[in-house]
Coordinates of all heavy atoms in Angstrom, one line a residue:
A1 N -66.9 -51.7 58.4 CA -66.2 -52.9 58.6 C -64.8 -52.7 58.1 O -64.6 -51.9 57.1 CB -66.8 -54.0 57.9
A2 N -63.8 -53.3 58.6 CA -62.4 -53.2 58.2 C -61.7 -54.5 58.4 O -62.2 -55.4 59.1 CB -61.7 -52.1 58.9
V3 N -60.6 -54.7 57.7 CA -59.9 -56.0 57.7 C -58.4 -55.7 58.1 O -57.9 -54.6 57.7 CB -60.0 -56.8 56.5 CG1 -59.3 -56.2 55.3 CG2 -59.6 -58.2 56.6
A4 N -57.7 -56.5 58.8 CA -56.4 -56.3 59.1 C -55.5 -56.1 57.9 O -55.7 -56.7 56.9 CB -55.8 -57.5 59.9
G5 N -54.6 -55.1 58.0 CA -53.8 -54.7 56.8 C -54.5 -53.6 56.0 O -53.9 -52.9 55.1
W6 N -55.8 -53.4 56.1 CA -56.5 -52.4 55.3 C -57.0 -51.3 56.3 O -57.8 -50.5 56.0 CB -57.7 -53.0 54.6 CG -57.2 -53.8 53.4 CD1 -56.8 -55.1 53.3 CD2 -57.1 -53.2 52.1 NE1 -56.4 -55.4 52.1 CE2 -56.6 -54.3 51.3 CE3 -57.3 -52.0 51.5 CZ2 -56.3 -54.1 50.0 CZ3 -57.0 -51.9 50.1 CH2 -56.5 -52.9 49.4
G7 N -56.6 -51.4 57.5 CA -56.9 -50.3 58.5 C -58.1 -50.7 59.3 O -58.7 -51.7 59.1
N8 N -58.4 -49.9 60.3 CA -59.6 -50.2 61.1 C -60.4 -49.0 61.5 O -61.1 -49.0 62.5 CB -59.1 -51.0 62.4 CG -58.1 -50.3 63.2 OD1 -57.9 -49.1 63.0 ND2 -57.5 -50.9 64.1
T9 N -60.2 -47.9 60.8 CA -60.9 -46.7 61.1 C -62.2 -46.6 60.5 O -63.1 -45.8 60.9 CB -60.1 -45.4 60.9 OG1 -59.7 -45.4 59.5 CG2 -58.8 -45.4 61.7
G10 N -62.4 -47.2 59.3 CA -63.7 -47.2 58.6 C -63.8 -45.9 57.9 O -63.1 -45.0 58.0
N11 N -64.8 -45.9 56.9 CA -65.0 -44.7 56.1 C -66.5 -44.5 55.9 O -67.3 -45.5 56.0 CB -64.4 -44.9 54.7 CG -62.9 -44.9 54.8 OD1 -62.3 -43.9 55.1 ND2 -62.2 -46.1 54.7
G12 N -66.9 -43.3 55.6 CA -68.3 -43.1 55.4 C -68.8 -43.2 54.0 O -67.9 -43.2 53.1
G13 N -70.1 -43.3 53.7 CA -70.6 -43.2 52.4 C -70.9 -44.6 51.8 O -71.5 -44.7 50.8
Y14 N -70.5 -45.6 52.5 CA -70.7 -47.0 52.0 C -70.7 -48.0 53.1 O -70.0 -47.8 54.1 CB -69.8 -47.4 50.9 CG -68.3 -47.4 51.3 CD1 -67.7 -48.6 51.7 CD2 -67.5 -46.3 51.1 CE1 -66.4 -48.6 52.1 CE2 -66.2 -46.3 51.5 CZ -65.6 -47.5 52.0 OH -64.3 -47.5 52.3
D15 N -71.4 -49.1 53.0 CA -71.3 -50.3 54.0 C -70.7 -51.5 53.2 O -71.2 -51.9 52.1 CB -72.6 -50.6 54.4 CG -73.2 -49.5 55.4 OD1 -72.4 -48.9 56.1 OD2 -74.4 -49.3 55.4
V16 N -69.6 -52.0 53.7 CA -68.9 -53.2 53.1 C -69.7 -54.4 53.4 O -70.0 -54.7 54.6 CB -67.5 -53.3 53.5 CG1 -66.8 -54.5 53.0 CG2 -66.7 -52.1 53.0
A17 N -70.1 -55.2 52.4 CA -70.6 -56.5 52.6 C -69.6 -57.7 52.6 O -69.9 -58.6 53.3 CB -71.7 -56.7 51.5
H18 N -68.6 -57.5 51.9 CA -67.6 -58.6 51.7 C -66.2 -58.1 51.3 O -66.1 -57.2 50.4 CB -68.1 -59.6 50.7 CG -67.2 -60.8 50.6 ND1 -66.3 -60.9 49.6 CD2 -67.2 -61.9 51.3 CE1 -65.7 -62.1 49.8 NE2 -66.2 -62.8 50.8
Y19 N -65.2 -58.6 51.9 CA -63.8 -58.4 51.5 C -63.3 -59.8 51.0 O -63.4 -60.8 51.7 CB -62.9 -58.0 52.6 CG -63.0 -56.7 53.1 CD1 -63.8 -56.4 54.3 CD2 -62.4 -55.6 52.5 CE1 -63.9 -55.1 54.9 CE2 -62.5 -54.3 53.0 CZ -63.3 -54.1 54.2 OH -63.4 -52.8 54.8
G20 N -62.7 -59.8 49.8 CA -62.1 -61.0 49.3 C -60.6 -60.6 49.0 O -60.3 -59.7 48.3
L21 N -59.7 -61.4 49.6 CA -58.3 -61.1 49.4 C -57.5 -62.3 48.9 O -57.7 -63.4 49.3 CB -57.6 -60.8 50.8 CG -58.2 -59.6 51.6 CD1 -57.5 -59.5 53.0 CD2 -57.9 -58.3 50.8
T22 N -56.7 -62.0 47.9 CA -55.8 -63.0 47.3 C -54.4 -62.5 47.4 O -54.1 -61.4 47.1 CB -56.1 -63.2 45.8 OG1 -57.5 -63.5 45.6 CG2 -55.2 -64.3 45.2
L23 N -53.5 -63.4 48.0 CA -52.2 -63.0 48.3 C -51.2 -64.0 47.6 O -51.5 -65.2 47.6 CB -51.9 -63.0 49.8 CG -52.8 -62.1 50.7 CD1 -52.6 -62.4 52.2 CD2 -52.6 -60.7 50.3
D24 N -50.1 -63.4 47.2 CA -49.0 -64.3 46.5 C -47.8 -63.7 47.0 O -47.4 -62.6 46.7 CB -49.2 -64.2 45.0 CG -48.1 -65.0 44.3 OD1 -47.6 -66.0 44.9 OD2 -47.8 -64.7 43.2
Y25 N -47.0 -64.5 47.8 CA -45.8 -64.0 48.3 C -44.6 -64.8 47.7 O -44.7 -66.1 47.6 CB -45.7 -64.2 49.9 CG -44.4 -63.9 50.5 CD1 -44.0 -62.5 50.6 CD2 -43.6 -64.8 51.0 CE1 -42.8 -62.1 51.1 CE2 -42.4 -64.5 51.6 CZ -42.0 -63.1 51.7 OH -40.8 -62.8 52.3
V26 N -43.6 -64.1 47.2 CA -42.5 -64.7 46.6 C -41.2 -64.6 47.6 O -40.7 -63.5 47.6 CB -42.1 -64.1 45.2 CG1 -40.9 -64.8 44.6 CG2 -43.3 -64.2 44.3
P27 N -40.9 -65.6 48.3 CA -39.8 -65.6 49.3 C -38.5 -65.1 48.7 O -37.8 -64.3 49.4 CB -39.7 -67.0 49.9 CG -41.0 -67.6 49.6 CD -41.5 -67.0 48.3
E28 N -38.1 -65.5 47.6 CA -36.9 -65.1 46.9 C -36.7 -63.6 46.7 O -35.6 -63.1 46.8 CB -36.6 -65.9 45.6 CG -36.6 -67.4 45.7 CD -37.9 -68.0 45.8 OE1 -38.9 -67.4 45.4 OE2 -38.0 -69.2 46.3
T29 N -37.8 -63.0 46.4 CA -37.8 -61.5 46.2 C -38.4 -60.7 47.3 O -38.3 -59.5 47.3 CB -38.6 -61.2 44.9 OG1 -39.9 -61.5 45.1 CG2 -38.0 -61.9 43.7
T30 N -39.0 -61.4 48.3 CA -39.7 -60.8 49.4 C -40.9 -59.8 48.9 O -41.2 -58.9 49.6 CB -38.8 -60.0 50.4 OG1 -38.2 -58.9 49.8 CG2 -37.7 -61.0 50.9
H31 N -41.4 -60.1 47.7 CA -42.5 -59.3 47.2 C -43.8 -59.9 47.5 O -44.0 -61.2 47.4 CB -42.3 -59.1 45.7 CG -41.2 -58.1 45.3 ND1 -40.2 -58.5 44.6 CD2 -41.1 -56.8 45.7 CE1 -39.4 -57.4 44.5 NE2 -39.9 -56.4 45.1
L32 N -44.8 -59.1 47.8 CA -46.1 -59.6 48.0 C -47.0 -59.0 47.0 O -47.0 -57.8 46.8 CB -46.6 -59.1 49.4 CG -48.1 -59.4 49.8 CD1 -48.3 -60.8 50.0 CD2 -48.5 -58.6 51.0
K33 N -47.7 -59.8 46.3 CA -48.7 -59.4 45.3 C -50.1 -59.7 45.8 O -50.3 -60.8 46.3 CB -48.5 -60.1 43.9 CG -47.2 -59.7 43.3 CD -47.0 -60.4 41.9 CE -45.8 -60.0 41.3 NZ -45.6 -60.7 40.0
S34 N -51.0 -58.8 45.8 CA -52.3 -59.0 46.3 C -53.4 -58.3 45.5 O -53.2 -57.4 44.8 CB -52.4 -58.6 47.8 OG -52.2 -57.2 47.8
T35 N -54.5 -58.9 45.6 CA -55.8 -58.4 45.0 C -56.9 -58.4 46.1 O -57.1 -59.3 46.8 CB -56.2 -59.2 43.8 OG1 -55.2 -59.2 42.8 CG2 -57.5 -58.5 43.2
A36 N -57.5 -57.2 46.3 CA -58.6 -57.1 47.1 C -59.9 -56.8 46.3 O -59.9 -55.9 45.5 CB -58.4 -56.0 48.2
V37 N -60.9 -57.6 46.6 CA -62.2 -57.4 46.0 C -63.2 -57.0 47.1 O -63.4 -57.8 48.0 CB -62.7 -58.7 45.2 CG1 -64.0 -58.5 44.6 CG2 -61.7 -59.1 44.2
I38 N -63.7 -55.8 47.0 CA -64.5 -55.3 48.0 C -66.0 -55.0 47.4 O -66.1 -54.3 46.4 CB -64.0 -53.9 48.5 CG1 -62.5 -54.1 49.1 CG2 -64.9 -53.3 49.6 CD1 -61.7 -52.9 49.1
T39 N -66.9 -55.7 48.0 CA -68.3 -55.5 47.7 C -69.0 -54.7 48.7 O -68.9 -55.0 49.9 CB -69.0 -56.8 47.5 OG1 -68.3 -57.6 46.6 CG2 -70.4 -56.7 47.0
A40 N -69.6 -53.5 48.3 CA -70.2 -52.6 49.2 C -71.5 -52.1 48.6 O -71.8 -52.1 47.4 CB -69.2 -51.5 49.5
R41 N -72.3 -51.4 49.5 CA -73.5 -50.7 49.1 C -73.3 -49.2 49.5 O -73.0 -48.9 50.6 CB -74.7 -51.2 49.8 CG -76.0 -50.5 49.4 CD -77.3 -51.0 50.1 NE -77.5 -52.4 49.9 CZ -78.2 -52.9 48.9 NH1 -78.7 -52.0 48.0 NH2 -78.4 -54.1 48.7
A42 N -73.5 -48.4 48.5 CA -73.4 -47.0 48.7 C -74.5 -46.5 49.6 O -75.7 -46.8 49.4 CB -73.4 -46.1 47.4
T43 N -74.2 -45.6 50.6 CA -75.3 -45.0 51.5 C -75.5 -43.6 51.2 O -76.2 -42.9 51.9 CB -74.8 -45.2 53.0 OG1 -73.5 -44.6 53.2 CG2 -74.7 -46.7 53.4
Q44 N -74.8 -43.2 50.0 CA -75.0 -41.8 49.5 C -74.4 -41.8 48.1 O -73.7 -42.8 47.8 CB -74.3 -40.8 50.4 CG -72.8 -40.9 50.5 CD -72.2 -39.9 51.5 OE1 -72.6 -39.9 52.6 NE2 -71.2 -39.2 51.0
D45 N -74.7 -40.8 47.3 CA -74.0 -40.7 46.0 C -72.5 -40.5 46.3 O -72.1 -39.8 47.1 CB -74.5 -39.5 45.2 CG -75.9 -39.7 44.7 OD1 -76.4 -40.9 44.6 OD2 -76.6 -38.7 44.3
L46 N -71.7 -41.3 45.5 CA -70.2 -41.2 45.7 C -69.5 -40.9 44.4 O -69.6 -41.7 43.5 CB -69.7 -42.6 46.2 CG -70.2 -43.1 47.5 CD1 -69.8 -44.5 47.7 CD2 -69.7 -42.1 48.7
S47 N -68.9 -39.7 44.3 CA -68.1 -39.4 43.1 C -66.7 -39.8 43.4 O -65.9 -40.0 42.5 CB -68.1 -37.9 42.8 OG -67.7 -37.2 44.0
R48 N -66.4 -40.1 44.7 CA -65.1 -40.5 45.2 C -65.3 -41.2 46.5 O -66.2 -40.8 47.3 CB -64.1 -39.4 45.4 CG -62.7 -39.8 45.6 CD -61.8 -38.6 46.1 NE -62.0 -38.7 47.6 CZ -61.7 -37.7 48.4 NH1 -61.3 -36.6 48.0 NH2 -61.9 -37.9 49.7
F49 N -64.5 -42.2 46.9 CA -64.5 -42.8 48.2 C -63.2 -43.2 48.6 O -62.2 -43.3 47.8 CB -65.5 -44.0 48.2 CG -65.2 -45.1 47.2 CD1 -64.4 -46.1 47.6 CD2 -65.8 -45.0 46.0 CE1 -64.1 -47.1 46.7 CE2 -65.5 -46.0 45.0 CZ -64.7 -47.1 45.5
D50 N -63.0 -43.4 49.9 CA -61.7 -43.7 50.5 C -61.7 -45.2 51.0 O -62.7 -45.7 51.5 CB -61.4 -42.8 51.7 CG -61.4 -41.3 51.4 OD1 -61.4 -41.0 50.1 OD2 -61.5 -40.5 52.3
L51 N -60.5 -45.8 50.9 CA -60.3 -47.1 51.5 C -59.1 -47.0 52.5 O -58.1 -46.3 52.1 CB -60.0 -48.1 50.5 CG -61.1 -48.4 49.5 CD1 -60.6 -49.3 48.3 CD2 -62.3 -49.1 50.1
D52 N -59.1 -47.6 53.6 CA -58.0 -47.6 54.5 C -56.9 -48.5 53.9 O -57.2 -49.6 53.6 CB -58.4 -48.1 55.9 CG -59.4 -47.3 56.6 OD1 -59.4 -46.0 56.4 OD2 -60.1 -47.8 57.4
L53 N -55.7 -47.9 53.7 CA -54.6 -48.7 53.1 C -53.3 -48.1 53.5 O -53.0 -46.9 53.3 CB -54.7 -48.8 51.6 CG -53.6 -49.5 50.9 CD1 -53.7 -51.0 51.3 CD2 -53.7 -49.3 49.4
S54 N -52.4 -48.8 54.1 CA -51.1 -48.3 54.6 C -50.0 -49.3 54.3 O -50.1 -50.5 54.4 CB -51.2 -48.2 56.2 OG -50.0 -47.7 56.6
G55 N -48.9 -48.7 53.7 CA -47.7 -49.5 53.4 C -47.7 -50.3 52.2 O -46.8 -51.1 52.0
L56 N -48.7 -50.3 51.3 CA -48.7 -51.0 50.1 C -48.8 -50.1 48.9 O -49.4 -49.0 49.0 CB -49.9 -52.0 50.1 CG -49.9 -53.0 51.2 CD1 -51.2 -53.8 51.2 CD2 -48.7 -54.0 51.1
R57 N -48.2 -50.5 47.8 CA -48.3 -49.8 46.6 C -49.4 -50.3 45.8 O -49.5 -51.5 45.5 CB -47.0 -49.8 45.8 CG -47.0 -49.0 44.5 CD -45.7 -49.1 43.9 NE -45.2 -50.5 43.6 CZ -44.2 -50.8 42.9 NH1 -43.4 -49.9 42.4 NH2 -44.0 -52.0 42.7
V58 N -50.3 -49.5 45.3 CA -51.4 -49.8 44.4 C -51.0 -49.7 42.9 O -50.5 -48.7 42.5 CB -52.6 -49.0 44.7 CG1 -53.8 -49.3 43.8 CG2 -53.1 -49.3 46.1
R59 N -51.2 -50.8 42.2 CA -50.9 -50.7 40.8 C -52.1 -50.3 40.0 O -52.0 -49.6 39.0 CB -50.5 -52.1 40.3 CG -49.1 -52.5 40.9 CD -48.5 -53.7 40.1 NE -47.3 -54.2 40.8 CZ -46.1 -53.8 40.4 NH1 -46.0 -52.9 39.3 NH2 -45.1 -54.2 40.9
A60 N -53.3 -50.7 40.4 CA -54.5 -50.3 39.7 C -55.7 -50.6 40.5 O -55.7 -51.4 41.5 CB -54.6 -51.2 38.4
A61 N -56.8 -49.9 40.1 CA -58.1 -50.1 40.8 C -59.2 -50.0 39.8 O -59.1 -49.3 38.8 CB -58.3 -49.1 41.9
K62 N -60.2 -50.9 40.0 CA -61.4 -50.8 39.1 C -62.7 -50.8 40.0 O -62.7 -51.4 41.0 CB -61.5 -52.0 38.2 CG -60.4 -52.1 37.2 CD -60.7 -53.3 36.3 CE -59.6 -53.4 35.1 NZ -59.8 -54.5 34.2
V63 N -63.6 -50.0 39.5 CA -65.0 -49.9 40.2 C -66.0 -50.4 39.1 O -66.0 -49.7 38.0 CB -65.2 -48.5 40.7 CG1 -66.6 -48.5 41.3 CG2 -64.2 -48.1 41.7
Q64 N -66.7 -51.4 39.4 CA -67.7 -52.0 38.5 C -67.0 -52.3 37.2 O -67.6 -52.1 36.1 CB -68.9 -51.0 38.3 CG -69.7 -50.6 39.5 CD -70.4 -51.8 40.1 OE1 -69.8 -52.8 40.7 NE2 -71.7 -51.9 40.0
G65 N -65.8 -52.7 37.2 CA -65.2 -53.2 36.0 C -64.4 -52.1 35.2 O -63.7 -52.4 34.2
A66 N -64.6 -50.9 35.6 CA -63.9 -49.7 34.9 C -62.8 -49.2 35.7 O -62.8 -49.1 36.9 CB -65.0 -48.6 34.6
I67 N -61.7 -48.8 35.0 CA -60.5 -48.3 35.6 C -60.8 -47.0 36.4 O -61.5 -46.1 35.9 CB -59.4 -48.1 34.6 CG1 -59.0 -49.4 34.0 CG2 -58.2 -47.3 35.3 CD1 -58.0 -49.3 32.8
A68 N -60.4 -47.0 37.6 CA -60.6 -45.8 38.5 C -59.3 -45.1 38.7 O -58.2 -45.7 38.6 CB -61.2 -46.3 39.9
Q69 N -59.4 -43.8 39.0 CA -58.2 -43.1 39.4 C -57.9 -43.3 40.9 O -58.9 -43.4 41.7 CB -58.4 -41.6 39.2 CG -58.7 -41.2 37.7 CD -57.4 -41.5 36.9 OE1 -56.3 -41.1 37.3 NE2 -57.6 -42.1 35.7
V70 N -56.7 -43.4 41.3 CA -56.3 -43.6 42.7 C -55.2 -42.7 43.1 O -54.4 -42.3 42.3 CB -55.9 -45.1 43.0 CG1 -57.0 -46.1 42.8 CG2 -54.7 -45.5 42.1
A71 N -55.2 -42.2 44.3 CA -54.2 -41.4 44.9 C -54.1 -41.8 46.4 O -55.1 -42.2 47.0 CB -54.6 -40.0 44.8
H72 N -52.9 -41.6 47.0 CA -52.7 -41.9 48.4 C -52.8 -40.6 49.2 O -52.3 -39.6 48.7 CB -51.4 -42.5 48.6 CG -51.3 -44.0 48.3 ND1 -51.7 -45.0 49.1 CD2 -50.9 -44.6 47.2 CE1 -51.6 -46.1 48.5 NE2 -51.1 -46.0 47.4
S73 N -53.4 -40.6 50.3 CA -53.4 -39.5 51.2 C -53.2 -40.1 52.6 O -54.2 -40.6 53.2 CB -54.7 -38.7 51.1 OG -54.7 -37.7 52.1
G74 N -52.0 -40.0 53.1 CA -51.7 -40.7 54.5 C -52.0 -42.2 54.4 O -51.5 -42.8 53.5
D75 N -52.8 -42.6 55.3 CA -53.2 -44.1 55.3 C -54.5 -44.3 54.5 O -55.2 -45.3 54.7 CB -53.4 -44.5 56.8 CG -52.1 -44.6 57.5 OD1 -51.0 -44.7 56.8 OD2 -52.1 -44.6 58.7
E76 N -54.9 -43.5 53.6 CA -56.1 -43.6 52.8 C -55.8 -43.8 51.3 O -54.8 -43.1 50.9 CB -57.0 -42.4 53.0 CG -57.5 -42.1 54.4 CD -58.6 -43.1 54.9 OE1 -59.4 -43.5 54.1 OE2 -58.4 -43.5 56.0
L77 N -56.5 -44.6 50.7 CA -56.4 -44.7 49.2 C -57.7 -44.0 48.7 O -58.8 -44.4 49.0 CB -56.4 -46.2 48.8 CG -56.4 -46.4 47.3 CD1 -55.0 -45.9 46.7 CD2 -56.6 -47.8 46.9
L78 N -57.5 -42.9 48.0 CA -58.6 -42.2 47.4 C -59.0 -42.8 46.1 O -58.1 -42.8 45.2 CB -58.3 -40.7 47.3 CG -57.6 -40.1 48.5 CD1 -57.2 -38.6 48.1 CD2 -58.5 -40.1 49.7
V79 N -60.2 -43.3 45.9 CA -60.6 -43.9 44.7 C -61.7 -43.1 44.0 O -62.7 -42.7 44.6 CB -61.2 -45.3 45.0 CG1 -61.7 -46.0 43.7 CG2 -60.2 -46.2 45.7
T80 N -61.5 -42.7 42.7 CA -62.4 -42.0 42.0 C -62.8 -42.8 40.7 O -62.1 -42.9 39.8 CB -61.8 -40.6 41.5 OG1 -61.3 -39.9 42.6 CG2 -62.8 -39.8 40.7
P81 N -64.0 -43.3 40.8 CA -64.5 -44.1 39.7 C -64.8 -43.2 38.5 O -65.1 -42.0 38.6 CB -65.8 -44.8 40.2 CG -66.2 -44.0 41.4 CD -65.0 -43.3 41.9
P82 N -64.8 -43.8 37.2 CA -65.1 -42.9 36.1 C -66.5 -42.5 36.0 O -66.9 -41.5 35.4 CB -64.7 -43.9 34.9 CG -64.8 -45.2 35.5 CD -64.5 -45.1 36.9
K83 N -67.4 -43.2 36.7 CA -68.8 -42.9 36.8 C -69.2 -42.9 38.3 O -68.9 -43.9 39.0 CB -69.6 -43.9 36.0 CG -71.1 -43.6 35.9 CD -71.8 -44.6 34.9 CE -72.4 -45.7 35.7 NZ -73.2 -46.6 34.9
P84 N -69.9 -41.9 38.8 CA -70.3 -41.9 40.2 C -71.1 -43.1 40.6 O -71.9 -43.7 39.8 CB -71.1 -40.6 40.4 CG -70.6 -39.7 39.3 CD -70.3 -40.7 38.1
V85 N -71.0 -43.6 41.8 CA -71.8 -44.7 42.4 C -73.0 -44.0 43.0 O -72.8 -43.0 43.8 CB -71.0 -45.5 43.4 CG1 -71.8 -46.5 44.0 CG2 -69.7 -46.1 42.8
R86 N -74.1 -44.5 42.7 CA -75.4 -43.9 43.2 C -75.8 -44.4 44.6 O -75.6 -45.6 44.9 CB -76.5 -44.1 42.2 CG -76.3 -43.4 40.9 CD -76.3 -41.9 41.1 NE -75.8 -41.2 39.9 CZ -75.2 -40.1 39.9 NH1 -74.9 -39.5 41.0 NH2 -74.8 -39.5 38.8
D87 N -76.5 -43.6 45.3 CA -77.0 -44.0 46.6 C -77.8 -45.3 46.5 O -78.6 -45.4 45.6 CB -77.9 -42.9 47.2 CG -78.4 -43.2 48.6 OD1 -77.9 -44.1 49.3 OD2 -79.2 -42.4 49.1
G88 N -77.5 -46.3 47.3 CA -78.2 -47.6 47.3 C -77.6 -48.6 46.3 O -78.0 -49.8 46.5
E89 N -76.7 -48.2 45.5 CA -76.1 -49.2 44.5 C -75.1 -50.1 45.2 O -74.3 -49.7 46.0 CB -75.4 -48.3 43.4 CG -74.8 -49.2 42.3 CD -74.1 -48.3 41.2 OE1 -74.2 -47.1 41.2 OE2 -73.4 -48.9 40.4
V90 N -75.1 -51.4 44.9 CA -74.2 -52.3 45.3 C -73.1 -52.2 44.3 O -73.3 -52.3 43.0 CB -74.7 -53.8 45.4 CG1 -73.6 -54.7 45.7 CG2 -75.8 -53.8 46.5
F91 N -71.8 -52.0 44.7 CA -70.7 -51.9 43.8 C -69.5 -52.7 44.2 O -69.4 -53.0 45.4 CB -70.3 -50.4 43.6 CG -69.8 -49.7 44.9 CD1 -68.4 -49.6 45.0 CD2 -70.7 -49.3 45.8 CE1 -67.9 -48.9 46.1 CE2 -70.2 -48.7 47.0 CZ -68.8 -48.5 47.1
R92 N -68.7 -53.0 43.3 CA -67.6 -53.9 43.5 C -66.3 -53.1 43.1 O -66.2 -52.6 42.0 CB -67.6 -55.1 42.6 CG -66.6 -56.1 42.8 CD -66.9 -57.4 42.0 NE -65.7 -58.2 41.9 CZ -65.7 -59.4 41.4 NH1 -66.8 -59.9 40.9 NH2 -64.6 -60.1 41.4
T93 N -65.3 -53.1 43.9 CA -64.1 -52.5 43.7 C -62.9 -53.5 43.8 O -62.9 -54.3 44.8 CB -63.8 -51.3 44.8 OG1 -64.9 -50.5 44.8 CG2 -62.5 -50.6 44.6
V94 N -62.1 -53.5 42.8 CA -61.0 -54.4 42.8 C -59.7 -53.6 42.8 O -59.5 -52.7 42.0 CB -61.0 -55.3 41.5 CG1 -59.7 -56.2 41.5 CG2 -62.3 -56.1 41.4
V95 N -58.8 -53.8 43.8 CA -57.6 -53.2 44.0 C -56.4 -54.1 43.9 O -56.4 -55.2 44.6 CB -57.5 -52.4 45.3 CG1 -56.2 -51.7 45.5 CG2 -58.7 -51.4 45.5
T96 N -55.5 -53.8 43.0 CA -54.3 -54.7 42.9 C -53.0 -53.9 43.2 O -53.0 -52.7 43.1 CB -54.1 -55.3 41.4 OG1 -54.1 -54.2 40.5 CG2 -55.3 -56.2 41.2

């Protein structure tokens, strides 16, 4: 599953159950602040996973409440949680 603004190519290793988006736009500065909360179930062990993301700067990401490492690769955000997500685990990722 994918949502507009987050790409539409999909990624392997997990199935998304829910996307929650909060947006705050400040017209005077033309800045957009957003938070995405993604709830998914791992379909394999994940030491890292990708999210489709283009054109936005990521300030931070958390997986299961713990700070994750992030890096951009093209239109992908590479997320490395501090502890691997296990096959079958429902996990929550928050990206700001």
Side-chain angles (χ1 to χ4, degrees):
V3 71
W6 285 86
N8 58 11
T9 58
N11 293 288
Y14 62 90
D15 290 327
V16 173
H18 185 263
Y19 288 100
L21 299 174
T22 303
L23 302 172
D24 181 24
Y25 177 70
V26 181
E28 296 81 19
T29 63
T30 66
H31 286 119
L32 174 70
K33 294 182 181 179
S34 63
T35 301
V37 179
I38 304 158
T39 304
R41 178 181 302 275
T43 59
Q44 64 187 50
D45 288 343
L46 298 171
S47 59
R48 190 195 90 198
F49 57 92
D50 304 345
L51 299 171
D52 296 331
L53 180 65
S54 178
L56 298 174
R57 182 175 57 173
V58 172
R59 294 193 182 265
K62 291 184 177 182
V63 177
Q64 298 296 72
I67 295 173
Q69 297 295 315
V70 293
H72 285 277
S73 177
D75 290 339
E76 299 287 319
L77 180 68
L78 312 176
V79 181
T80 305
K83 184 174 96 172
V85 178
R86 297 292 169 212
D87 185 11
E89 181 180 353
V90 174
F91 65 102
R92 183 176 169 173
T93 303
V94 179
V95 179
T96 54

